[in-house]
Amino acid sequence: MAAVLPVAVFGCRPGVAGGVCFLEEQVVLHAAGAGCLRLHLEHKWHNFIPGTEKSRGVQALAVSPDRRFLAVSEAAGEKPVLAVYELAAERARRRKVPAAGELPARQTVSLAFSPDSRLLAAATAPPEGHLSCWLWEKQQPVASVRVPALGDGPCQVSFNPQDNTQVCITGNGFFKLFKYSEGYLKQMNLQRGEPENYLCHAWLSEEEVICGTDTGKLSLFETGQLHWETSLEYRKPPRELKEDTTTEEYESGLASEDNGLQQHPLPKISAVAAYSKGFACSPSPGVVLLFEKTNEKEVYKESQEVWLPQDQFSTEPKKSSRQDITCICFSPSEETMVVSTNKNQLYMFTMFSTKLIREKTSYFAYMNFPLHSNSITGLDMCAWKPILATCSLDRSVRIWNYKTNTLELCKEYQEEAYTVSLHPTGLFCLVGFSDKLRFISLLYEDMHVFKEFAVKCRECSFSNGGHLFAAVNGNVIQIYSSITFENITNLKGHTGKVHAIKWSADDTKFVSCDTHGAVYEWNLLTGKKESECVLKTCIYTSISLTYDAKIIFAVGSDQTLKEISESSIQHEVPAFDAVYTTVAVSRSGRTIFVGTSLGTIRAMKYPLTLKKDFSEYQAHAGAVTKMTVTSDDQFLLTASEDGCVFIWKVHDKEGGRVKGEQELKYAEEVLIMRSDIDEKNQAILDLQICVKDLQTESDYELRLKDLYCEGKIKALEENFTLEIDSLKTKYQILLEEKEKQELQHQVQLSELMDKQAREVQQLESESSQKLSTENEKYQELQVKSQKMEEEYEKQLHSLEESKTTAVAELKEHYERKLKEKSVLLEEAKENMRKQIEVHEEMEKLIYEEGDKEILELKDKYERQLVEEKESNVQLKGEMGVMNKRLNSLQKELKDRNRDIEEMRLEQQKLQDIIKSLQKDILALKTDIKERTETILEKEKHINDLKIKNQELQNFKFVLSYRIEEFKKQIESRENDIETMKKQISEMEEELEQFRKESMELKLNITQLQQKQKATAREVHREMEKKQDMETLIKRFKADLHNCVSYIHHPRKMKESICELYTKYVRQPDMVGAQAEDEDLQQQLKKQQEYNERNLTILRKKVTKDKEMQQAAYMRIIQENVSLIKEINDLRQELRVANTQVHSLQSALRLNKNKQPIQDTAPSSELLSGPDVLRLNPEMESEKIIEMQQLEIQYLRDQIQEKGSHKTKQH
């Protein structure tokens, strides 16, 4: 038996919570069919993860933070299913699944893994929602809590990204944070204000959660409290806004009438996702807003909006860009963003473009290609190329390549397409609509309708040779020629609508089935039925033929697969709780593939058996609508109502490939319209001309730049040589000054050393006296400290004795209480045991009495129906009473358990009190030690203060000297500021002169341009006259040469001379005028082209000169601004210096009042203080003035160079 393996899936499942996520930088996982699909964006490989048995599609999925595990919630029958897959291997391996008893009763709508991937949280559908947590590896439920909602709506659960115990859940009317501890989920936050319908949320950090509502409101919660809130408006695409502005004037008159009717739809935040810089959200259909974090009050600010693109293949491109975005995710490196929509589409956006190009609006691109958004109604493949065609109720026809996993062509029509058939060459296709059949040419980049037939076609098919095609019109099958498009024959005989048709391999036979249970075999040579098999109880949906056309396989509504041959049903294979919808047979005839209404694919071995002997594969989330096998038996192609196309690789059970014919080399020919080729050739020529023009312009610009740069280099070289010479002279002067200063420093050092030696002697003498006095004080303090220690020890002994007695009394008191409580606990346990025994006896009695009464009721039922009804009512009442008793007993049990837990908590509290008392004793001991240390520290501090007081007295003289220096510096700074103001005024006058000069230069340019045009016209006229004269002379010479040949014939000579006279003497004006007109027209055209080129060159020169002048002007303004800033900084420094001087003066006055000046020696600490003195302020101001003067000279030189350069050019 052959086995199949999915190698590609074209489709996406909408409405899945967390439906798209990244596994790696280039690997995306999303829901598709009845499972999930792993897709590589660059290499285009697909890896399908099938769902559990009888799965009807994924409802929610989640990937662990380490991207090793995948959790999936599926809809499979009445019970919910949760499954965890390991993603490390090539084929995902299913891990342990929680048992059905441990799962919630309702469907799970949201899943989330904890940061360590050990816990799995699940939220069930509101309004009666539950939040449950599992240790999924051990299949152990950890905690569960009920989360009631105000109504239906989406519900989302997520873990804190850095805390395994914190869970967030949002929904209709609630935002709750839970903390897991000791088997319980405890709520952390209290919801305030009016309840909102929270549609989505995302964790931005360990404490921040952003939530979106159905009214377009973004709420930022920090540790459960509302921290920031903003409301977003409904957004319109940029293209629609442009159209609205153009039609605004026309609609302004009608706006007043329809003001109440036209209203914008409310914004709704349907998806939120976080990334490192902020978060992304979708407030309106078709748009994602990127928010980045700021340091302002708004916290987060909108940085960019990204729109869905308009589908160029769609008949309504505006609607294609207004899809609801249901999920947003970012790659691990945050370079790409992927979104999914409610119309089964996936889009991606490269995030690095936001760093390079800061545009306000950007656009998504399809992640791979546009997908079907509705049920697929037709599917077919061809023999020459590895392509397949599909049509759908979304009104589109698509051509796929199943070798490269790409979409080659796509076209959307105004009507829904019901059937499609590919020509064997792959160059044409048939598409059936509700009112017509179209013969379409598959071009290189488009689908061109070549012919239309007025046939209401729900089924069509090309013959295997391609020379014929069949179209179903109700219950009539029409056969057409693919070459002449003539209706060759009409096959009539069906009473119901024909559902499926099939050609034999040699195109001589034709098989069809209908809704009235008829299967007919037709002979196309005669146009009559050869055989028939009718089963009126069955509605056939699909048929298939073996390669030799001897056996027909058919499926229908009676849940069986029928093998028909020789006008009778030979075998019927049951479907086992399913309905077969499609059937396909391999070319070898050894394998039969069947699609079911559950979306599964079954592979059966021929000959068929009645046993359950088939391999079943989970694939689609809806009924399989179409199925075909390729001509080389290598691939199985299936389509479904869920809008997905599956491509299966056919293998032997042993693992090898199915044996068939040699592999065909596929054709690579493509159709293209002649008009398209002409347009492309014309576009190539236009581009070549543009390239040549650009080359000439760039060459000219490069020459101008070279000339400009050469002049600049020369000027810079001259400036540098002058600067080098000046620097050399300065260097020599500085060397001489350095030598002088070194001699001065040596003299000063010798003087300072002598002074320091004297001061050291004085300090030693003073310090010896101070030490003697301090020793005496220290001895006195030691005596005092001994007395204090003795007193504190006595107090400690008394405190310890009192506390020991109190602790002993407390222990005895609490031990008595513990004994009493333990006795009460034992009594409560005995009572519980007795009550349980009584309860069990009561249950036994109830069951025995119930059995007896049931037997009696059976006997009475045979006799009287009225008595039986009354007895049933009495029994129901008694059962209700017993149930109430059971409930009351269970409540009592719970109360007793609570009392026991309270007793245990009291015991723990008593132990905590004992521990706290012991800690108090230790704290008192540490207090005593700390007090002794503080006494010592205070004594040291007193000594330090005395030393500092003496130093301050020494600094008085130095401070007075420094105050005088600061006053002098302030006066010099004020003078410098006045000089700087004068320089600024001079600079402004120079700027005004430069403006006047630029205006004069512009006027000179315009005058020179006019003079140039006039001279060019005069030169052109003279050139035309010269050319006319040269042409006349040439003609006259030619005619003279002809006359010379008649020298021996005087008559002919005379006639020719007369002709010359009449030609060049009598009518010279007419001849000259005609010749001049023709030549003038040609020369005028040339001159116009030449003048236009010159004009463009001159305009470019003028624009460049303007730009250069503007740049120079802006540079001067910036330098002025910098100078003004420096002046302001200097003023601030002056103010600071004044304040410092004032503070120093006040300090000196205070010290004078206290003590007289004793020492005048300078101190090293005062010199090193940054708040007291600024080093060399005069030198700094001189350097600033020199730098400004150099910059002014440099600007003047540049302006002179530009003026000289312009004069040279003109």
Side-chain angles (χ1 to χ4, degrees):
M1 188 190 295
V4 292
L5 184 72
V7 293
V9 181
F10 305 133
C12 178
R13 181 176 172 83
V16 178
V20 185
C21 50
F22 273 90
L23 300 180
E24 296 175 16
E25 188 59 34
Q26 293 291 326
V27 180
V28 177
L29 183 141
H30 65 86
C36 298
L37 178 69
R38 285 191 285 190
L39 171 65
H40 199 285
L41 299 176
E42 186 177 354
H43 302 305
K44 307 295 183 189
W45 55 257
H46 294 205
N47 188 349
F48 183 67
I49 303 169
T52 55
E53 188 178 353
K54 294 183 180 179
S55 174
R56 299 295 290 172
V58 177
Q59 300 296 320
L61 62 87
V63 175
S64 62
D66 56 4
R67 295 179 172 83
R68 287 181 56 209
F69 304 105
L70 168 67
V72 176
S73 168
E74 297 173 283
E78 296 179 357
K79 294 182 180 179
V81 176
L82 276 180
V84 180
Y85 297 86
E86 190 174 354
L87 300 172
E90 287 185 12
R91 293 286 167 188
R93 186 166 62 88
R94 189 180 300 168
R95 295 288 294 267
K96 296 175 182 178
V97 181
E102 298 170 358
L103 292 174
R106 293 173 67 85
Q107 188 67 45
T108 302
V109 294
S110 182
L111 294 169
F113 277 99
S114 62
D116 60 357
S117 304
R118 292 179 62 198
L119 288 172
L120 178 64
T124 59
E128 295 179 1
H130 277 81
L131 174 62
S132 305
C133 291
W134 285 277
L135 281 168
W136 63 270
E137 290 181 335
K138 297 179 181 180
Q139 295 187 354
Q140 181 182 348
V142 173
S144 179
V145 66
R146 186 171 175 272
V147 186
L150 296 177
D152 294 332
C155 178
Q156 185 181 353
V157 65
S158 64
F159 273 93
N160 189 321
Q162 296 178 3
D163 189 356
N164 297 319
T165 61
Q166 195 171 355
V167 187
C168 176
I169 184 168
T170 57
N172 190 354
F174 63 89
F175 164 78
K176 294 186 179 183
L177 290 173
F178 289 96
K179 185 85 173 177
Y180 170 72
S181 63
E182 299 178 357
Y184 291 98
L185 285 169
K186 298 177 182 177
Q187 189 171 346
M188 294 171 60
N189 66 323
L190 292 173
Q191 196 166 346
R192 297 175 181 176
E194 293 183 1
E196 299 276 354
N197 185 4
Y198 296 105
L199 301 179
C200 52
H201 73 267
W203 288 87
L204 302 180
S205 65
E206 189 177 357
E207 296 179 347
E208 292 182 344
V209 183
I210 190 77
C211 298
T213 68
D214 61 348
T215 58
K217 190 184 289 182
L218 280 173
S219 302
L220 180 66
F221 293 92
E222 190 170 349
T223 61
Q225 301 297 322
L226 186 63
H227 179 62
W228 173 73
E229 195 173 37
T230 184
S231 294
L232 302 179
E233 296 179 353
Y234 187 85
R235 302 293 177 101
K236 279 190 174 183
R239 291 167 185 166
E240 287 186 16
L241 287 172
K242 288 178 184 177
E243 291 173 5
D244 290 344
T245 54
T246 55
T247 58
E248 192 174 358
E249 293 179 359
Y250 174 73
E251 292 177 351
S252 60
L254 300 172
S256 59
E257 296 177 5
D258 300 334
N259 212 1
L261 297 172
Q262 294 179 356
Q263 291 181 355
H264 292 298
L266 290 173
K268 181 177 73 173
I269 297 169
S270 57
V272 171
Y275 68 109
S276 59
K277 290 185 178 180
F279 64 92
C281 68
S282 175
S284 305
V287 66
V288 172
L289 303 182
L290 297 177
F291 284 80
E292 292 185 1
K293 194 165 188 178
T294 60
N295 295 323
E296 300 174 1
K297 291 182 179 178
E298 291 184 357
V299 183
Y300 287 93
K301 192 175 182 181
E302 182 186 339
S303 61
Q304 194 175 13
E305 58 183 29
V306 189
W307 287 90
L308 296 182
Q310 290 187 359
D311 190 359
Q312 300 302 321
F313 304 110
S314 175
T315 56
E316 295 177 346
K318 288 183 182 178
K319 287 186 178 180
S320 64
S321 64
R322 303 298 287 166
Q323 304 174 43
D324 289 332
I325 293 168
T326 56
C327 185
I328 305 171
C329 68
F330 292 92
S331 63
S333 65
E334 296 183 353
E335 288 184 0
T336 54
M337 173 175 60
V338 172
V339 299
S340 65
T341 69
N342 62 336
K343 291 188 178 179
N344 308 21
Q345 303 300 322
L346 295 169
Y347 297 90
M348 65 182 294
F349 176 69
T350 51
M351 295 289 288
F352 67 85
S353 63
T354 59
K355 298 176 185 175
L356 300 173
I357 306 165
R358 282 286 180 180
E359 293 181 356
K360 184 67 177 173
T361 57
S362 300
Y363 290 92
F364 284 97
Y366 282 105
M367 195 174 80
N368 275 329
F369 33 72
L371 304 168
H372 280 298
S373 60
N374 210 331
S375 174
I376 296 171
T377 55
L379 180 143
D380 197 16
M381 59 87 193
C382 70
W384 282 29
K385 294 183 179 182
I387 61 173
L388 65 119
T390 58
C391 63
S392 170
L393 294 178
D394 60 7
R395 302 181 300 176
S396 67
V397 178
R398 299 167 198 260
I399 307 297
W400 313 84
N401 191 317
Y402 56 83
K403 284 284 187 182
T404 58
N405 294 339
T406 55
L407 178 70
E408 292 196 348
L409 287 174
C410 177
K411 190 70 177 282
E412 190 171 319
Y413 296 92
Q414 295 291 337
E415 306 90 8
E416 294 178 347
Y418 295 103
T419 180
V420 67
S421 180
L422 271 176
H423 195 269
T425 60
L427 300 174
F428 308 99
C429 75
L430 284 170
V431 182
F433 298 91
S434 59
D435 58 346
K436 66 189 75 171
L437 175 68
R438 289 173 176 169
F439 189 94
I440 297 172
S441 300
L442 302 179
L443 305 179
Y444 177 60
E445 291 178 341
D446 194 10
M447 295 184 188
H448 176 66
V449 178
F450 187 75
K451 182 80 174 173
E452 286 189 355
F453 303 90
V455 177
K456 295 180 180 179
C457 185
R458 293 295 179 113
E459 195 69 31
C460 63
S461 178
F462 274 106
S463 63
N464 292 312
H467 61 291
L468 300 172
F469 66 86
V472 175
N473 189 357
N475 56 4
V476 179
I477 303 167
Q478 297 176 349
I479 309 296
Y480 290 87
S481 172
S482 300
I483 299 163
T484 61
F485 300 113
E486 292 180 0
N487 187 0
I488 297 168
T489 56
N490 291 329
L491 306 178
K492 298 178 181 179
H494 283 284
T495 57
K497 289 183 179 179
V498 179
H499 265 188
I501 53 176
K502 214 73 177 177
W503 295 83
S504 63
D506 56 359
D507 293 335
T508 58
K509 292 182 180 180
F510 190 80
V511 180
S512 60
C513 65
D514 63 11
T515 56
H516 289 181
V519 177
Y520 295 153
E521 185 177 347
W522 307 84
N523 189 334
L524 292 176
L525 298 175
T526 59
K528 295 180 180 180
K529 286 185 280 187
E530 276 195 353
S531 63
E532 62 180 28
C533 179
V534 180
L535 183 65
K536 292 185 178 180
T537 57
C538 178
I539 299 170
Y540 286 111
T541 56
S542 178
I543 55 171
S544 186
L545 278 173
T546 56
Y547 186 72
D548 56 4
K550 290 182 179 178
I551 300 170
I552 303 167
F553 295 96
V555 294
S557 60
D558 60 350
Q559 299 184 0
T560 57
L561 169 65
K562 297 175 180 61
E563 180 185 345
I564 302 169
S565 64
E566 297 178 355
S567 301
S568 62
I569 299 169
Q570 302 295 329
H571 293 285
E572 284 191 56
V573 179
F576 301 101
D577 299 328
V579 178
Y580 289 143
T581 55
T582 56
V583 64
V585 183
S586 63
R587 185 165 181 160
S588 62
R590 287 177 290 180
T591 308
I592 301 160
F593 299 103
V594 185
T596 68
S597 59
L598 301 175
T600 58
I601 307 298
R602 293 179 180 179
M604 302 178 182
K605 189 178 180 180
Y606 187 78
L608 299 171
T609 59
L610 296 175
K611 296 179 181 179
K612 200 175 183 179
D613 186 15
F614 54 79
S615 299
E616 190 167 12
Y617 304 94
Q618 292 290 330
H620 296 281
V624 181
T625 54
K626 295 290 177 180
M627 177 188 295
T628 56
V629 182
T630 56
S631 56
D632 55 357
D633 282 352
Q634 299 299 318
F635 294 97
L636 172 69
L637 315 174
T638 61
S640 170
E641 290 178 355
D642 61 1
C644 292
V645 179
F646 274 70
I647 296 162
W648 307 77
K649 186 76 174 175
V650 182
H651 295 273
D652 282 333
K653 276 277 186 171
E654 291 79 14
R657 205 167 64 183
V658 172
K659 293 180 181 179
E661 296 182 0
Q662 295 180 353
E663 289 189 1
L664 295 170
K665 289 185 179 180
Y666 293 111
E668 296 182 356
E669 289 80 6
V670 175
L671 292 177
I672 189 165
M673 299 284 283
R674 189 178 294 279
S675 60
D676 293 339
I677 294 168
D678 294 338
E679 286 177 3
K680 287 184 178 179
N681 290 331
Q682 187 63 39
I684 290 162
L685 289 169
D686 294 339
L687 289 168
Q688 286 175 350
I689 292 162
C690 289
V691 167
K692 287 178 182 177
D693 293 338
L694 289 168
Q695 283 178 350
T696 53
E697 288 178 4
S698 62
D699 292 337
Y700 179 71
E701 287 175 358
L702 284 169
R703 286 174 189 171
L704 289 173
K705 283 181 181 178
D706 291 336
L707 292 169
Y708 177 71
C709 291
E710 285 174 1
K712 233 180 181 182
I713 288 161
K714 287 178 183 178
L716 288 168
E717 284 177 352
E718 292 174 357
N719 290 327
F720 279 123
T721 52
L722 293 169
E723 286 177 0
I724 288 161
D725 295 333
S726 64
L727 288 168
K728 283 179 180 178
T729 54
K730 284 181 181 179
Y731 180 69
Q732 290 176 356
I733 293 162
L734 289 167
L735 282 172
E736 292 173 357
E737 289 178 355
K738 184 184 177 185
E739 290 174 356
K740 290 178 182 178
Q741 286 178 359
E742 283 178 352
L743 292 169
Q744 290 176 0
H745 283 301
Q746 287 177 359
V747 173
Q748 289 175 359
L749 277 169
S750 61
E751 292 176 355
L752 287 167
M753 291 293 286
D754 295 333
K755 284 182 181 179
Q756 192 175 7
R758 292 172 188 169
E759 289 173 358
V760 167
Q761 288 177 0
Q762 290 178 0
L763 287 167
E764 284 178 353
S765 62
E766 290 175 357
S767 62
S768 61
Q769 292 176 0
K770 287 178 182 179
L771 282 169
S772 61
T773 55
E774 291 294 328
N775 283 323
E776 291 175 357
K777 289 179 181 178
Y778 180 69
Q779 288 175 0
E780 291 176 359
L781 289 167
Q782 274 185 344
V783 173
K784 287 180 181 179
S785 66
Q786 286 177 359
K787 291 178 180 179
M788 293 286 284
E789 282 179 359
E790 289 175 357
E791 289 176 358
Y792 279 123
E793 283 178 356
K794 290 177 183 178
Q795 289 178 3
L796 277 170
H797 284 300
S798 61
L799 285 167
E800 284 178 356
E801 288 174 357
S802 62
K803 282 185 179 178
T804 50
T805 54
V807 168
E809 289 175 358
L810 285 168
K811 280 183 179 178
E812 290 175 358
H813 177 67
Y814 284 115
E815 281 175 357
R816 288 171 191 169
K817 280 188 176 181
L818 281 169
K819 287 177 182 178
E820 291 174 359
K821 295 290 182 181
S822 61
V823 171
L824 290 170
L825 279 169
E826 288 175 357
E827 289 176 357
K829 286 179 181 177
E830 288 177 359
N831 290 327
M832 287 291 291
R833 286 173 188 171
K834 290 176 181 179
Q835 286 179 1
I836 289 162
E837 289 174 358
V838 170
H839 179 67
E840 288 176 353
E841 289 176 358
M842 288 288 288
E843 281 184 345
K844 288 178 183 178
L845 291 169
I846 287 160
Y847 286 125
E848 289 173 358
E849 289 175 359
D851 292 334
K852 289 177 182 178
E853 287 175 356
I854 287 161
L855 292 169
E856 290 174 359
L857 286 166
K858 282 182 180 178
D859 296 331
K860 289 177 182 179
Y861 181 72
E862 292 173 356
R863 297 170 186 172
Q864 292 180 353
L865 289 168
V866 177
E867 291 178 1
E868 185 184 352
K869 288 178 183 178
E870 293 175 356
S871 62
N872 278 326
V873 171
Q874 290 175 1
L875 283 168
K876 285 178 183 177
E878 289 175 1
M879 288 295 286
V881 172
M882 294 306 294
N883 286 324
K884 287 179 182 177
R885 286 181 185 175
L886 284 168
N887 290 326
S888 63
L889 288 169
Q890 287 175 356
K891 286 179 182 177
E892 287 177 0
L893 282 168
K894 287 180 181 177
D895 295 334
R896 292 290 171 86
N897 289 325
R898 285 175 187 169
D899 294 334
I900 291 160
E901 286 178 357
E902 288 175 357
M903 295 292 288
R904 286 176 185 171
L905 290 169
E906 286 180 1
Q907 188 178 356
Q908 288 177 359
K909 286 178 183 177
L910 292 169
Q911 289 175 355
D912 293 335
I913 290 163
I914 292 160
K915 289 178 182 178
S916 65
L917 291 168
Q918 290 174 354
K919 288 178 182 177
D920 292 336
I921 293 160
L922 293 169
L924 288 167
K925 289 180 180 178
T926 53
D927 287 336
I928 292 160
K929 289 180 182 178
E930 287 174 358
R931 285 178 182 179
T932 53
E933 289 173 359
T934 52
I935 290 160
L936 295 170
E937 286 176 359
K938 284 179 180 179
E939 288 174 356
K940 289 179 183 177
H941 185 63
I942 290 159
N943 294 323
D944 294 331
L945 286 169
K946 288 178 180 177
I947 293 161
K948 283 181 181 178
N949 192 6
Q950 290 175 1
E951 288 175 354
L952 284 167
Q953 290 174 1
N954 295 328
F955 294 157
K956 285 178 184 178
F957 180 77
V958 177
L959 287 168
S960 61
Y961 180 74
R962 295 290 176 184
I963 288 160
E964 291 175 357
E965 286 182 351
F966 276 123
K967 286 179 180 178
K968 291 176 183 178
Q969 288 176 7
I970 289 160
E971 290 174 357
S972 63
R973 289 285 176 85
E974 287 175 352
N975 294 325
D976 293 334
I977 288 160
E978 288 177 357
T979 54
M980 293 291 281
K981 285 179 179 178
K982 290 177 182 178
Q983 288 178 0
I984 289 161
S985 62
E986 289 174 359
M987 291 286 284
E988 288 175 351
E989 289 173 359
E990 286 177 358
L991 277 170
E992 289 178 357
Q993 289 176 1
F994 287 138
R995 286 176 188 170
K996 290 176 182 178
E997 287 174 0
S998 65
M999 291 296 289
E1000 288 174 0
L1001 287 168
K1002 287 178 182 177
L1003 292 169
N1004 290 328
I1005 288 160
T1006 53
Q1007 289 175 2
L1008 288 167
Q1009 286 175 353
Q1010 290 174 359
K1011 287 178 183 178
Q1012 188 181 2
K1013 289 178 182 177
T1015 52
R1017 288 171 186 169
E1018 289 175 359
V1019 169
H1020 183 62
R1021 288 172 186 172
E1022 288 175 0
M1023 290 292 289
E1024 287 175 353
K1025 288 177 183 178
K1026 185 182 175 183
Q1027 287 176 358
D1028 294 338
M1029 293 300 292
E1030 284 176 357
T1031 52
L1032 280 169
I1033 290 160
K1034 285 178 182 178
R1035 290 174 185 170
F1036 186 74
K1037 284 179 180 179
D1039 292 334
L1040 277 173
H1041 184 70
N1042 292 325
C1043 288
V1044 170
S1045 63
Y1046 299 118
I1047 290 168
H1048 300 287
H1049 303 282
R1051 288 181 181 177
K1052 290 181 179 180
M1053 185 77 174
K1054 185 180 179 181
E1055 290 173 0
S1056 62
I1057 288 164
C1058 291
E1059 286 176 359
L1060 283 171
Y1061 180 78
T1062 55
K1063 188 175 181 181
Y1064 293 102
V1065 178
R1066 290 185 177 179
Q1067 297 176 348
D1069 298 332
M1070 294 294 289
V1071 172
Q1074 290 176 357
E1076 282 176 2
D1077 289 334
E1078 293 175 355
D1079 295 331
L1080 278 169
Q1081 287 176 358
Q1082 294 177 356
Q1083 289 176 2
L1084 277 169
K1085 288 179 183 177
K1086 292 178 182 177
Q1087 190 65 27
Q1088 281 179 356
E1089 292 175 355
Y1090 178 76
N1091 287 328
E1092 286 174 355
R1093 289 175 185 171
N1094 287 329
L1095 271 171
T1096 53
I1097 291 161
L1098 288 167
R1099 282 174 183 168
K1100 288 177 182 177
K1101 286 180 183 177
V1102 170
T1103 53
K1104 284 180 182 177
D1105 291 333
K1106 285 180 181 177
E1107 289 174 356
M1108 296 290 286
Q1109 286 175 1
Q1110 286 177 356
Y1113 179 68
M1114 291 300 292
R1115 197 181 298 156
I1116 290 161
I1117 289 166
Q1118 288 173 358
E1119 287 172 356
N1120 280 329
V1121 171
S1122 64
L1123 288 168
I1124 290 161
K1125 285 181 181 177
E1126 287 178 359
I1127 289 161
N1128 291 325
D1129 293 333
L1130 289 168
R1131 284 175 179 169
Q1132 287 178 358
E1133 287 177 1
L1134 280 169
R1135 288 173 187 169
V1136 172
N1138 287 322
T1139 54
Q1140 288 177 355
V1141 168
H1142 184 69
S1143 62
L1144 289 168
Q1145 285 177 354
S1146 63
L1148 281 168
R1149 286 171 188 168
L1150 289 168
N1151 288 322
K1152 281 178 185 177
N1153 292 326
K1154 287 181 181 178
Q1155 291 179 356
I1157 297 168
Q1158 292 180 358
D1159 287 332
T1160 59
S1163 176
S1164 62
E1165 291 181 3
L1166 184 66
L1167 292 168
S1168 63
D1171 295 330
V1172 178
L1173 179 62
R1174 177 174 170 151
L1175 295 172
N1176 297 325
E1178 292 178 357
M1179 292 291 288
E1180 286 180 357
S1181 62
E1182 287 175 0
K1183 285 180 181 178
I1184 290 162
I1185 290 160
E1186 285 176 1
M1187 290 292 288
Q1188 289 173 355
Q1189 288 175 355
L1190 288 168
E1191 286 176 355
I1192 290 160
Q1193 287 177 0
Y1194 176 73
L1195 288 168
R1196 286 174 180 170
D1197 294 334
Q1198 279 188 346
I1199 291 159
Q1200 288 175 2
E1201 284 175 5
K1202 286 176 184 175
S1204 62
H1205 185 65
K1206 287 176 183 176
T1207 52
K1208 285 176 184 178
Q1209 286 180 351
H1210 295 299

